[in-house]
Structures are given as structure tokens and as C-alpha cells.
Amino acid sequence: GGENEIGKLVDYRIIGIDPGSGLMKATSQAIQDYGLNNWTLVEGSGTAMTAALDRAYKNQEPIIVTGWTPHWMFIKYDLKYLDDPKQSFGGSEEIHTIVRQGLKTDAPSAYRFLDRFHWQPSDMEEVMNSISDGVTPEDAAAAWVKKHSDLVAEWTDGIPKANGQTLKLAYVAWDSEIASTNVVREVLATKLGYKPEMLQVEIGPMWVGIAGGDADAMVAAWLPTTSKDYYDKYKDRVVDLGSNLEGTKLGLVVPSYMNVDSIEQLR
Ligand SMILES: C[SH](C)CC(=O)O
């Protein structure tokens, strides 16, 4: 379309995250679906996006970011999702646990725990919020595990301990997966006797790592839509242990002080 009031305020830019993510693919789809011809989707990272949001929000300036739930930003700032009447961002999804073929034989205790690992968005947000308040991911995970000993017991009761076997956990540096992967690491290390390592990679290498056996597990598969391309490509070479969290959401997010409510209004 031609001139757009909101577009002018944000220089026709949507501040995105890492280019391979499903969220960026969905945003490109929305730009097409809603005819946002003169708009630019800025590639970066989850960290760069939250830094830009923080700067704009502190100065009460307009900004549009690619966002998702669960995320600490909805606690820290007064934000809103733009309505998505064309459903370019899909509906509410879930996050799956994906492990390498052979893990059940090689590390049966880790496999059994990973198969049981399941928590609520509020649990993930508790860890995320603590990290966003400046607690290290390791300490935030340790505090959460200590506080939620009943749920952790459900994950680990009756599972024999390993004797210091190394395990490689792959993840992408999304704030949600920094939180979840640190909790998984903490349980593997303190309850099940493993020596877990965390490998921070981009989304493609994360799936390749599990499929190729270079990594043992990840809790970062947003499905059925967000990670669909990677799932379809690697599903025959990985083991999907199902959902570890339900009730996610993806979309365009703005501070509540902006006078815009729908993606329709950006054209
Ligand atoms: C950004 S969501 C945590 C995951 C994804 O977009 O692939």
C-alpha cells in the first residue's frame, strides 16, 4: 500500500530474531498475506530484539517486534499482540522434546526423564523472568528445581542414576529455550548423575546435530507449524518424545501505548 501512519512511526521496520526461526518464516508470510509491501523484516537474534524493545519502551517510542509466548517480556512490559485475522502466525502450539536415535539404549535414564519432562508455560516463565532479572541461567534453573521438587520428582522417581556419562543438549538462544534447557541440564546433573553439556547453535545445526547423533537431545521443537520444515526434513532420523509444554503463541507484538491493534492496520 501507500503511506501508512504506523509504518511511518517505525520506519516500516519489524524487528525480528534469527533468520532460520519459524517465527521469522511466519512473519514473512504475514508480510505477504497482508500486502505489507514496503515493510522490512529486520533479521537479528532474540537478544537483539529484546534489547531494541527495551530501548524503545524506556523512551516510550513506537516499535513492532516478532514475539512469542511464553516470554518474560510480557511481564516486564505492557505489550499486546496485533490481531492476526488471516492466521499467518497459526494457532496455539506446543514444544516437543526431540532426541537422537539410539539414546534409549545408550542413556536409558536420560531417555526416561526426557520422555517424562513436561511443564506449564508459567513454570517456564518463572525461570525466564528470573534470568531477565539478572540471575544466571544456571542459578535460575537450580532455584526452580529446588522450589518445584514435587514436579521434578515426577520426572525422575524410580529412574536409576548414571555414573557421570556425558550428554549433549542442543538449543537455540531463544530466552524460552535458554530457560528450559538449563532446567533439563540441572535435573540431569543433580538428580540423574550425568555430566550434561549445553551446545548453543542456530536452529538448522540444532536439528542436524540431533539427526547426526552429534547432540543427544533438545527441548526446542515448536510444533506442528513453527518448526515444521525442520521436522519434515529430519523426522525419520530423530525420535520425537512428544510435547513438553502446550499453549504457545507467535505474532507481532507492540507496546500497549501504540495506537494499533491489528496487522491489517499496517498496510
Ligand atoms: C522463536 S520461537 C521460540 C521458535 C521458532 O520461531 O522457531
Side-chain angles (χ1 to χ4, degrees), residues 48-69:
M49 180 274 287
T50 53
L53 176 61
D54 189 62
R55 252 190 328 272
Y57 198 90
K58 281 199 170 93
N59 302 314
Q60 296 281 297
E61 287 165 356
I63 186 170
I64 304 178
V65 300
T66 58
W68 65 94
T69 297

Side-chain angles (χ1 to χ4, degrees), residues 102-267:
L103 188 73
K104 189 173 184 178
T105 308
D106 300 340
S109 294
Y111 182 93
R112 285 173 65 187
F113 155 57
L114 287 163
D115 195 24
R116 293 186 199 174
F117 174 59
H118 184 277
W119 61 346
Q120 300 306 313
S122 56
D123 293 312
M124 179 187 267
E125 283 167 353
E126 189 179 329
V127 181
M128 291 178 83
N129 297 344
S130 173
I131 295 168
S132 80
D133 285 343
V135 178
T136 66
E138 296 77 12
D139 290 350
W144 188 91
V145 164
K146 194 161 179 236
K147 180 178 172 192
H148 296 267
S149 51
D150 292 353
L151 181 52
V152 174
E154 282 176 36
W155 298 340
T156 57
D157 269 0
I159 298 179
K161 284 199 178 208
N163 52 3
Q165 189 180 348
T166 303
L167 272 182
K168 293 193 176 98
L169 305 173
Y171 71 106
V172 183
W174 302 313
D175 288 322
S176 33
E177 278 58 35
I178 290 168
S180 54
T181 310
N182 268 284
V183 165
V184 166
R185 179 198 47 70
E186 179 71 12
V187 173
L188 285 168
T190 60
K191 307 293 180 189
L192 292 174
Y194 285 96
K195 277 197 180 43
E197 294 170 10
M198 288 177 56
L199 308 173
Q200 181 189 315
V201 289
E202 289 305 315
I203 186 168
M206 174 173 71
W207 283 88
V208 170
I210 302 287
D214 300 326
D216 294 305
M218 56 100 152
V219 287
W222 287 53
L223 291 168
T225 309
T226 303
S227 298
K228 178 178 181 352
D229 294 353
Y230 296 101
Y231 187 78
D232 287 350
K233 189 170 180 184
Y234 297 108
K235 62 176 177 264
D236 300 335
R237 286 183 271 162
V238 299
V239 178
D240 179 3
L241 295 183
S243 165
N244 61 58
L245 180 146
E246 294 85 32
T248 64
K249 183 175 172 61
L250 300 179
L252 297 187
V253 175
V254 301
S256 296
Y257 54 71
M258 284 182 69
N259 185 19
V260 56
D261 298 302
S262 171
I263 302 175
E264 291 276 3
Q265 292 171 261
L266 305 184
R267 190 179 47 246

